[in-house]
């Protein structure tokens, strides 16, 4: 239910920023590129010409041994870590900013240590440059995402006792990851090239690149690196304590320590273990979870407080639903993503499925309809309300932006695109005409025109290869998804990429449309939970992948990395990441299967994500008409989309009760507290903020993630037996780490 976060302020909606925020954005980010502009930036063109450098050095070569060596190495690191994080009790993402910083540090080191004479000059052609760094980041970033296809494979192994052969599994991952790339690549003229398609989330990293590679430097880069080393190694050492030796620090709750026999305290104040409780007023000292899904040092204060309000409302709703026993909530665990019988025992889905893994009405009548935990129903309601409200919000506040984003669909534009399309890709040299100065052309895009393009035909080949492979796979793996259902999923993904891709490009807001896609798939393929999983894989994951591809291509455009180098980096990183995701998924399931199937899990491993994916597939894919249709038990989950459309404009326009100054703000969460410090530094010490904020944020993420990577294999059982720290007060191995009462499941 939490509000969706923007990674940076939406400068396209300038009226939403206070004067202080505008001034801070101007001072800090502009000064980071040594600009002398002092006025507030007015539009996207001002931002992309003053916040980040438009200059290009065509002599910089990204096709180096260093770029490929570090790109492949960090892709391995990111791909493995992303899959480890998939099985964590809280959503944690691999920091792309950290990948950028560590690539810079290692690249500088390689340029220094490798000789430049003789044959070594091919390994070390000169100083490490910005384009090499961008190449590495794009490759590693493409790998550092847990492929949604592994979720399908994990559910099949955990809940259907099916293990598809390795070849089919790998090609399932390839096709599902590249389908969105093909669609997104063909939409570059709409979602990438225009200045209005700003991609705010990448501005901090590109601005950091400009600072790091600024040739006119007074020793500032050495100070930045010193700050990075200090922050990195401090968190690297610190994370040993909350992650292994002193796990109480992951959720320190005074209430649990005072009332460790009270199960209501566990539900309300517990939070160190997965699905334990709401963690109200619990203090976390583990940076992995403080900055899990977003770094609080790089997110606007207003966005964080909008999120905080969402959390507060969520807590109120959870408590109200559970303690009023709505939907028989007290029969089930307080927090859970799995399905239950009415008596509270876990629902055995295989008992209602026939040998084709479709719902059998006779078997269903014998077992009865499953139940959700009440809090999970609230989560679904909130998600769907937010989805509906998004459309209303866009029509009220972004109508002109949406109209601009769909300008490509005019008959003249479509005719021009058709005339310019060349399917003979092998004859395409990629050269493009550089037009005269034009105020409507993005200056960064204009600089990129000197480089051969990765032509549309390349993306057509990727798209058709993904479609053909997918059609083979859905029948080879007995997915029960018919060919026409796959086509519907692809069409739904294409429309969603246009709509939500333009929103993400302009504002930085990334909406989760998975529940909506699940609902569509459930109603067009009733009684087929397996088909629903595959429908969501191709209908939703393609949207996410297209957004990631376009984001990375925007990084390439801002850093002047040639398009063909960016294409190569993305393909290599994505394919390598798929293989690593698959290997790690199987290894973790082999070694942690009982924990992944349990409702609560531990503070190290959790099956919450495959649990929710499976329960949604059964409920929506198998029983949509029985559970969510009009008059059924959870009908309001589906009606929430309609209700969301009617959310009043005043609520959508500005989150209520959000003060303008930090002095008025109560502190409820660690990330908000940390961002208050960053906000203060940004407005009061903009030069210091511009120099060190993102470097320090990347260092904290990096030190944490490297130690998590090491501990996962060394002591936490990612590749074999786990080695828990000996029992003591700070490592309560016999129960919840925060000493809250254990609740029998």
């Amino acid at each position: 239910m939490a509000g969706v976060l923007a990674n940076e302020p939406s400068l396209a909606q300038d009226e939403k920023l206070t004067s202080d925020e505008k001034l801070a954005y101007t001072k800090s980010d502009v000064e980071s590129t040594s600009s002398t502009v002092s006025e507030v930036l007015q539009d996207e063109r001002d931002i992309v010409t003053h916040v980040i450098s438009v200059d290009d050095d065509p002599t910089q070569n990204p096709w180096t041994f260093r770029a490929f060596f570090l790109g492949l190495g960090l892709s391995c690191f990111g791909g493995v870590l992303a899959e480890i994080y998939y099985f964590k009790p809280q959503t944690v993402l691999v920091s792309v900013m950290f990948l950028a910083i560590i690539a810079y540090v290692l690249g500088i080191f390689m340029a220094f240590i490798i000789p430049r004479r003789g044959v070594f000059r091919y390994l070390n052609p000169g100083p490490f440059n910005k384009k090499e760094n961008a190449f590495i980041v794009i490759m590693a970033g493409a790998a550092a995402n847990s492929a949604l296809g592994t979720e399908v494979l994990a559910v099949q192994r955990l809940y259907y006792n099916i293990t598809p052969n390795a070849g089919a599994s790998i090609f399932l991952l390839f096709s599902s990851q590249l389908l969105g790339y093909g669609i997104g690549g063909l939409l570059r003229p709409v979602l990438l090239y225009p200045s209005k398609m700003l991609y705010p989330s990448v501005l901090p990293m590109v601005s950091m690149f400009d600072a790091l590679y600024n040739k006119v430097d007074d020793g500032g880069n050495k100070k930045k690196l010193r700050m990075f080393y200090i922050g990195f190694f401090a968190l690297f050492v610190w994370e040993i304590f909350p992650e292994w030796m002193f796990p109480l620090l992951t959720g320190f709750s005074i209430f649990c320590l005072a009332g460790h026999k009270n199960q209501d305290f566990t539900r309300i104040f517990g939070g160190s273990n997965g699905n334990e409780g709401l963690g109200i007023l619990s203090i976390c000292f583990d940076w992995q979870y403080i900055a899990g899904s977003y770094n609080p040092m790089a997110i606007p204060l207003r966005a964080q407080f909008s999120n905080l309000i969402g959390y507060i409302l969520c807590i109120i709703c959870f408590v109200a639903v559970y303690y009023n026993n709505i939907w028989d909530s007290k029969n089930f665990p307080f927090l859970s993503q799995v399905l239950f019988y009415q008596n509270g025992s876990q629902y055995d889905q295989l008992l209602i499925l026939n040998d084709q893994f479709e719902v059998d009405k006779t078997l269903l009548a014998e077992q009865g309809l499953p139940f959700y935990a009440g809090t999970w129903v609230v989560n679904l309601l909130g998600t769907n309300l937010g989805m509906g409200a998004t459309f209303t919000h866009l029509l009220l506040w972004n109508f002109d932006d949406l109209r601009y984003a769909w300008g490509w669909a005019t008959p003249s534009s479509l005719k021009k695109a058709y005339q310019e399309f060349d399917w003979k890709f092998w004859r395409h040299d990629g050269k493009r005409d550089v037009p005269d100065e034009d105020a409507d052309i993005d200056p960064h895009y204009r600089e990129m025109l000197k480089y051969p393009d990765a032509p549309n035909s390349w993306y057509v080949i990727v798209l058709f290869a993904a479609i053909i492979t997918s059609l083979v796979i859905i029948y080879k793996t007995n997915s029960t998804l018919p060919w026409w259902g796959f086509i519907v999923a692809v069409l739904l993904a294409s429309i969603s990429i246009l709509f939500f891709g333009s929103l993400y490009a302009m504002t930085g807001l990334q909406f989760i449309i998975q529940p909506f896609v699940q609902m569509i798939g459930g109603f067009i393929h009733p009684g087929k939970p397996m088909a629903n999983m595959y429908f969501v894989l191709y209908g939703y994951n393609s949207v996410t992948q297209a957004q990631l591809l376009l984001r990375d291509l925007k990084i390439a455009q801002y850093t002047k990395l040639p398009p063909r180098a960016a294409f190569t980096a993305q393909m290599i990183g994505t394919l390598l990441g798929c293989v690593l995701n698959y290997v790690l998924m199987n290894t973790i399931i082999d070694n942690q299967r009982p924990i992944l199937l349990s409702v609560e899990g531990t503070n190290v491993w959790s099956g919450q994500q495959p649990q929710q994916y499976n329960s949604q597939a059964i409920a929506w894919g198998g029983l949509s008409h029985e559970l969510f249709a009009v008059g059924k038990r959870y009908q309001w989950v589906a009606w929430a989309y309609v209700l969301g459309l009617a959310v009043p404009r005043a609520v959508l326009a500005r989150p209520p009760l959000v003060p303008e100054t930090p002095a008025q703000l109560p502190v409820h969460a660690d990330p908000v507290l940390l961002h208050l410090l960053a906000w203060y530094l940004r407005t009061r010490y903009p030069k210091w903020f511009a120099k060190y904020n993102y470097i320090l944020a990347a260092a904290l993420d990096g030190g944490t993630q490297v130690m998590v990577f090491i501990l996962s294999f060394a002591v936490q059982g990612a590749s074999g037996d786990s080695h828990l720290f000996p029992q003591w007060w700070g490592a309560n191995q016999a129960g919840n780490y925060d000493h809250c009462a254990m609740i029998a499941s």
Side-chain angles (χ1 to χ4, degrees):
M1 290 184 62
V4 181
L5 298 177
N7 289 331
E8 276 296 311
S10 171
L11 272 295
Q13 302 176 46
D14 205 41
E15 72 279 5
K16 290 190 176 182
L17 299 180
T18 66
S19 57
D20 281 348
E21 286 173 326
K22 292 179 187 177
L23 184 61
Y25 191 88
T26 302
K27 285 184 177 180
S28 65
D29 289 331
V30 172
E31 286 181 8
S32 71
T33 57
S34 303
S35 173
T36 59
V37 177
S38 59
E39 68 272 11
V40 174
L41 306 180
Q42 298 298 327
D43 56 27
E44 293 82 4
R45 191 178 182 87
D46 282 349
I47 296 169
V48 299
T49 55
H50 295 306
V51 172
I52 53 180
S53 174
V54 181
D55 298 335
D56 177 34
D57 181 357
T59 65
Q60 292 184 352
N61 178 24
W63 303 96
T64 65
F65 166 78
R66 294 182 305 225
F68 279 95
F69 179 81
L70 293 178
L72 291 172
L74 290 178
S75 292
C76 293
F77 170 78
V80 170
L81 188 60
E83 196 62 23
I84 290 173
Y85 279 158
Y86 171 74
F87 292 103
K88 287 292 184 179
Q90 297 185 38
T91 302
V92 181
L93 304 177
V94 179
S95 169
V96 179
M97 182 73 83
F98 163 66
L99 295 176
I101 291 291
I102 200 67
Y104 173 80
V105 173
L106 295 176
I108 295 296
F109 176 75
M110 290 184 70
F112 173 76
I113 199 171
I114 298 177
R116 296 185 183 178
R117 297 180 180 178
V119 70
F120 291 105
R121 70 181 183 275
Y122 298 106
L123 303 181
N124 188 10
F128 187 69
N129 63 66
K130 179 165 60 175
K131 294 183 182 181
E132 289 178 281
N133 207 331
F135 182 90
I136 296 167
V137 168
I138 291 174
M139 185 186 295
N145 292 285
S146 178
L148 187 64
T150 61
E151 199 158 25
V152 174
L153 298 172
V155 168
Q156 289 180 316
R157 285 202 59 186
L158 291 170
Y159 296 98
Y160 291 84
N161 298 321
I162 297 174
T163 304
N165 68 71
S169 299
I170 293 295
F171 278 101
L172 170 69
L173 299 181
F174 285 171
S175 63
S176 60
Q177 292 294 90
L178 295 179
L179 183 63
Y181 276 13
I183 300 171
L186 293 175
L187 293 175
R188 288 169 298 150
V190 181
L191 299 178
L192 175 67
Y193 297 151
S195 294
K196 188 174 285 289
M197 300 304 162
L198 185 63
Y199 291 86
S201 63
V202 307
L203 292 179
M205 184 171 67
V206 178
S207 178
M208 180 190 71
F209 279 160
D210 288 342
L212 290 175
Y213 293 97
N214 184 5
K215 294 181 180 179
V216 182
D217 184 64
D218 57 357
N221 284 355
K222 292 183 178 179
K223 295 179 180 178
K224 294 186 184 78
L225 288 176
R226 188 181 306 120
M227 173 70 76
F228 175 80
Y229 295 142
I230 293 172
F232 179 92
F233 286 108
L235 263 291
F236 178 80
V237 174
W238 168 254
E239 280 298 314
I240 298 176
F241 294 95
E243 281 297 296
W244 187 49
M245 299 174 64
F246 197 174
L248 174 64
L249 295 175
T250 60
F252 189 89
S253 173
I254 295 176
F255 290 89
C256 285
L257 293 174
H260 55 84
K261 295 183 179 180
N262 190 320
Q263 294 190 358
D264 288 327
F265 273 30
T266 301
R267 297 185 182 98
I268 304 302
F269 303 110
S272 63
N273 289 44
N275 279 344
E276 178 189 347
L278 297 175
I280 297 176
L281 301 179
S282 179
I283 303 174
C284 179
F285 295 92
D286 188 343
W287 187 258
Q288 176 186 196
Y289 297 124
I290 294 174
S293 57
Y294 62 90
N295 193 307
M297 299 173 69
I299 301 298
L301 185 63
R302 181 175 299 277
Q304 291 208 43
F305 271 93
S306 296
N307 200 41
L308 177 60
I309 290 171
Y311 285 138
I312 294 173
L313 293 175
C314 181
I315 288 170
I316 293 171
C317 292
F318 276 16
V319 172
V321 165
Y322 182 80
Y323 285 101
N324 285 287
N325 201 30
I326 300 174
W327 298 301
D328 294 327
S329 294
K330 288 189 175 181
N331 290 9
F332 319 117
F334 182 54
L335 299 175
S336 178
Q337 297 81 30
V338 302
L339 295 170
F340 299 93
Y341 291 101
Q342 190 169 12
N343 64 8
S345 59
Q346 288 194 44
Y347 198 79
D348 190 342
Q349 65 194 50
L350 294 180
L351 296 181
I352 67 170
L353 302 178
N354 59 25
D355 56 359
Q356 299 298 315
F357 297 104
E358 298 176 355
V359 174
D360 185 298
K361 297 295 184 180
T362 302
L363 297 176
L364 177 62
E366 294 174 358
Q367 297 297 314
L369 291 172
F371 284 76
Y372 279 127
T375 52
W376 185 247
V377 180
V378 174
N379 176 76
L380 295 177
L381 281 167
T383 302
N384 295 351
L385 279 169
M387 183 76 178
T390 298
F391 287 95
T392 304
H393 181 85
L394 290 173
L395 292 175
L396 289 173
W397 292 96
N398 294 85
F399 182 77
D400 290 339
D401 292 334
L402 291 175
R403 183 173 58 184
Y404 174 87
W406 282 78
W408 63 275
T410 61
S412 58
S413 298
L414 291 173
K415 181 179 179 180
K416 181 181 179 181
Y418 174 76
Q419 292 173 341
E420 293 178 351
F421 180 77
D422 181 10
W423 62 273
K424 299 178 181 179
F425 63 92
W426 59 88
R427 293 167 47 183
H428 197 293
D429 60 8
K431 293 182 179 179
R432 297 173 287 179
D433 295 330
V434 180
D436 297 331
E437 289 291 342
D438 187 338
D440 294 329
I441 296 179
D442 182 280
H444 296 277
Y445 173 63
R446 189 179 189 280
E447 287 294 320
M448 292 288 284
L449 293 176
K450 69 170 72 77
Y451 299 110
D453 192 19
N456 282 340
S457 52
W458 290 15
Y459 290 99
V460 170
I461 292 172
V462 170
L463 177 59
F464 274 96
I467 289 175
I468 293 171
T469 304
S470 300
L471 287 170
V472 172
I473 291 297
I474 62 175
Y475 285 99
K476 184 70 174 178
T477 58
N478 298 318
S479 70
T480 72
L481 179 67
W483 67 266
W484 62 267
F486 170 76
I487 298 301
V488 171
V490 173
L491 293 175
L492 179 61
S494 301
I495 296 171
S496 299
I497 289 167
L498 279 169
F499 190 84
F500 293 101
S502 60
L503 176 68
Y504 175 62
M506 291 183 291
T507 69
L509 299 173
Q510 190 170 19
F511 290 91
I512 304 301
I513 65 169
Q514 180 177 334
F516 179 74
V517 177
Q518 282 172 321
M519 182 182 73
I520 299 296
F523 281 112
I524 66 174
H525 298 297
K528 295 183 176 183
M530 189 84 77
N532 189 266
M533 289 196 298
Y534 280 82
F535 185 88
V536 173
L537 173 63
Y538 291 111
Y540 163 65
N541 186 61
S542 300
V543 178
T544 302
Q545 286 300 107
Q547 291 176 335
L548 292 175
L549 170 126
L550 292 164
R551 180 204 68 183
D552 289 346
L553 291 181
K554 200 66 176 185
I555 293 173
Q557 183 170 303
Y558 284 152
T559 58
K560 314 306 178 295
L561 178 68
R564 295 186 174 186
F567 180 89
T568 302
Q570 287 178 316
M571 293 301 110
I572 293 175
T574 300
L575 298 179
L576 178 58
C578 288
V579 175
L580 294 170
N581 286 173
Y582 174 73
V583 172
L584 258 292
M585 176 209 69
N586 282 319
T587 302
I588 293 173
I589 290 177
D590 288 340
N591 293 295
Q592 306 297 334
R593 186 184 183 94
I595 293 175
L596 300 181
L597 288 170
S598 67
V599 173
E600 185 169 304
T602 69
N603 80 322
V604 177
W605 301 111
S606 171
Q608 61 160 336
Q609 297 203 62
Q611 285 174 9
Q612 68 89 14
Y613 197 72
N614 175 66
S615 63
Q616 291 289 80
I618 291 292
W620 279 113
L623 305 168
S624 56
H625 293 280
E626 290 81 1
L627 291 175
F628 302 105
V630 176
K632 303 302 181 180
R633 184 191 305 146
Y634 300 128
Q635 62 171 325
W636 290 108
V637 172
W639 278 111
Y641 289 108
V642 179
L643 296 176
L645 295 172
V647 174
R649 172 179 173 175
V651 175
L652 289 170
R654 181 185 291 245
L657 306 177
V658 180
E660 292 291 336
T661 60
Q664 298 171 270
L665 298 175
V667 176
H668 292 284
D670 300 321
V672 176
L673 177 62
L674 288 167
H675 189 84
L676 287 174
L677 175 61
W679 190 91
Y680 177 79
L681 292 172
R682 183 172 184 166
T683 54
R684 303 303 178 217
Y685 301 96
K687 290 184 178 179
W688 191 99
F689 180 91
K691 286 183 178 179
Y692 298 118
N693 179 70
Y694 297 122
I695 294 288
L696 181 58
L700 300 181
D701 285 345
T704 297
Q705 293 179 3
V706 172
M707 180 52 71
V708 168
F709 181 89
I710 294 172
L711 291 177
S712 295
F713 291 98
V715 298
Q716 292 177 344
S719 60
D721 295 334
S722 59
H723 304 280
L724 299 177
F725 198 79
Q727 170 76 26
W728 71 289
W729 178 77
N732 183 30
Q733 308 294 0
N736 292 320
Y737 284 122
D738 54 13
H739 292 272
C740 279
M742 292 289 293
I743 300 177
S745 55

